[in-house]
Amino acid sequence: MKISIIGIGRVGSSTAFAIVNKALVEELVLIDMNKNLAEGEALDLLHASSFHKRTVIRAGDYEDITGSNIIIITAGAAQKPGETRLDLVLKNAKIIQEISQNIKKYAPNSIVINITNPVDVMSYVAWKTTGFESNRVIGTGTILDTARLRALIGYNCGISPMSIHAYIIGEHGDSELAVWSSAMIGGVPITNFCEDCPFEQKCNLQLEEIFEEVKNSAYKIIEKKGATNYGIASATAALAEAIIKNEGRVFTPSVLVDNVYIGYPAIINKDGIERIVNISLNEEENEKFEVSKNIIKEYIEKINI
């Protein structure tokens, strides 16, 4: 099993480390415009592999992605404080097009995972440029947003996030939405769960406040440390693991819906996207989802790809 990562900044290097920790591959190739950076990270990770599964870790050029099962794209301009993900669209479209052309040339049978923001628009660019089947081009979408939502609900309720089934869907950005109508804790609708809370000191769970915290998490982290990297690296490694191990696991990646890439529940297996999971949305949620979809479409039109 071979994974190549294109772009070895904070996100790329953190993703590589997460993959090494999960012992997922026999070979890991790191590619960056700054060859010295890629070589340094490869050497550092190679030393770390002494404590994990034996892995060949090396820096390379585009030719070295040949034979990759999965290619992860993290290259692109980083989001700056006060800048939205969609502000990055014109900066990063050209970068993703060039990378995708090389993927098509050297690794035509690979599955592509795109992290580069705005992730929905850039995943669409990668899909159109490679010409791959849409199930083989996947954006990280709202996987991290969903994880953040479950983590915060779990913290407030004093239970494991693994027992929470709640989704963030839509654009990975300001127009995303929480699907409260189908959110459950241990199989119980979340509103019912809170009503039956046994604690004398109830948490007074404010769902919309939690959602706002989730939606603004990236801005807060970027303001404090300059970038988000560990959360998205963990999300990407989990997505890659689901592909490699053919897990049939449900995530909310950026997938093709109505000719636009957008965060939505989907089953992940060895072929990438096995199928989309059509969850029920109430009228308000459906309206918000359509708004989010249209925002992404507007930016795709600006690229004119």
Side-chain angles (χ1 to χ4, degrees):
M1 187 63 61
K2 177 179 177 179
I3 289 180
S4 295
I5 301 176
I6 302 174
I8 311 300
R10 282 190 181 183
V11 173
S13 58
S14 297
T15 300
F17 185 58
I19 287 169
V20 169
N21 271 307
K22 281 184 173 289
L24 295 180
V25 294
E26 286 74 40
E27 184 176 1
L28 183 62
V29 177
L30 309 183
I31 298 171
D32 197 274
M33 289 181 62
N34 184 341
K35 190 69 176 290
N36 283 333
L37 174 65
E39 290 175 347
E41 293 289 2
L43 185 60
D44 200 6
L45 285 166
L46 181 63
H47 297 161
S49 70
S50 298
F51 304 99
H52 305 287
K53 174 183 175 181
R54 183 179 180 274
T55 306
V56 174
I57 304 171
R58 60 191 178 91
D61 298 308
Y62 281 119
E63 294 87 345
D64 297 295
I65 69 175
T66 301
S68 296
N69 302 90
I70 298 172
I71 296 176
I72 299 171
I73 304 173
T74 75
Q79 187 177 356
K80 298 178 180 178
E83 187 175 41
T84 70
R85 297 179 181 96
L86 288 175
D87 288 332
L88 300 175
V89 66
L90 296 177
K91 292 181 183 179
N92 286 338
K94 291 182 179 179
I95 296 172
I96 298 303
Q97 283 180 302
E98 180 183 347
I99 290 170
S100 299
Q101 287 164 356
N102 281 290
I103 292 172
K104 182 178 181 179
K105 180 179 180 179
Y106 294 109
N109 298 315
S110 61
I111 292 174
V112 178
I113 297 175
N114 174 58
I115 303 176
T116 300
N117 278 319
V119 68
D120 306 294
V121 181
M122 294 305 112
S123 299
Y124 180 91
V125 172
W127 171 59
K128 294 294 284 187
T129 307
T130 59
F132 291 179
E133 302 93 338
S134 61
N135 67 292
R136 291 199 290 127
V137 180
I138 310 168
T140 48
T142 53
I143 296 175
L144 179 55
D145 307 84
T146 292
R148 286 168 172 160
L149 180 70
R150 294 177 180 181
L152 290 176
I153 293 172
Y155 177 80
N156 277 274
C157 295
I159 61 173
S160 169
M162 297 179 70
S163 296
I164 299 165
H165 288 86
Y167 297 116
I168 298 283
I169 65 171
E171 173 213 350
H172 175 54
D174 295 337
S175 69
E176 66 187 25
L177 63 138
V179 186
W180 295 122
S181 63
S182 62
M184 292 191 175
I185 298 178
V188 178
I190 192 166
T191 51
N192 294 354
F193 185 91
C194 293
E195 288 173 1
D196 295 334
C197 180
F199 301 133
E200 290 183 14
Q201 181 79 31
K202 293 192 177 184
C203 66
N204 294 317
L205 185 63
Q206 299 296 320
L207 299 182
E208 284 305 316
E209 288 183 10
I210 285 180
F211 168 64
E212 287 299 321
E213 185 171 348
V214 168
K215 188 172 72 172
N216 294 318
S217 290
Y219 297 131
K220 184 182 293 185
I221 294 169
I222 290 168
E223 181 183 353
K224 291 180 179 297
K225 58 172 272 189
T228 63
N229 53 306
Y230 298 125
I232 191 59
S234 297
T236 305
L239 181 58
E241 183 176 34
I243 295 169
I244 291 168
K245 297 182 178 179
N246 196 29
E247 290 182 337
R249 187 172 173 184
V250 176
F251 289 101
T252 52
S254 189
V255 295
L256 190 66
V257 178
D258 297 334
N259 204 40
V260 63
Y261 266 77
I262 194 166
Y264 201 75
I267 300 171
I268 306 297
N269 68 6
K270 61 183 176 56
D271 299 316
I273 303 296
E274 178 184 297
R275 64 184 175 89
I276 288 171
V277 179
N278 288 311
I279 57 173
S280 296
L281 304 178
N282 62 29
E283 185 176 351
E284 181 183 1
E285 290 164 350
N286 192 61
E287 288 176 358
K288 289 180 178 179
F289 185 61
E290 289 301 314
V291 168
S292 191
K293 194 187 300 181
N294 288 332
I295 287 173
I296 297 169
K297 286 181 178 178
E298 287 177 8
Y299 278 86
I300 288 173
E301 290 171 1
K302 289 181 180 181
I303 298 173
N304 193 29
I305 187 171

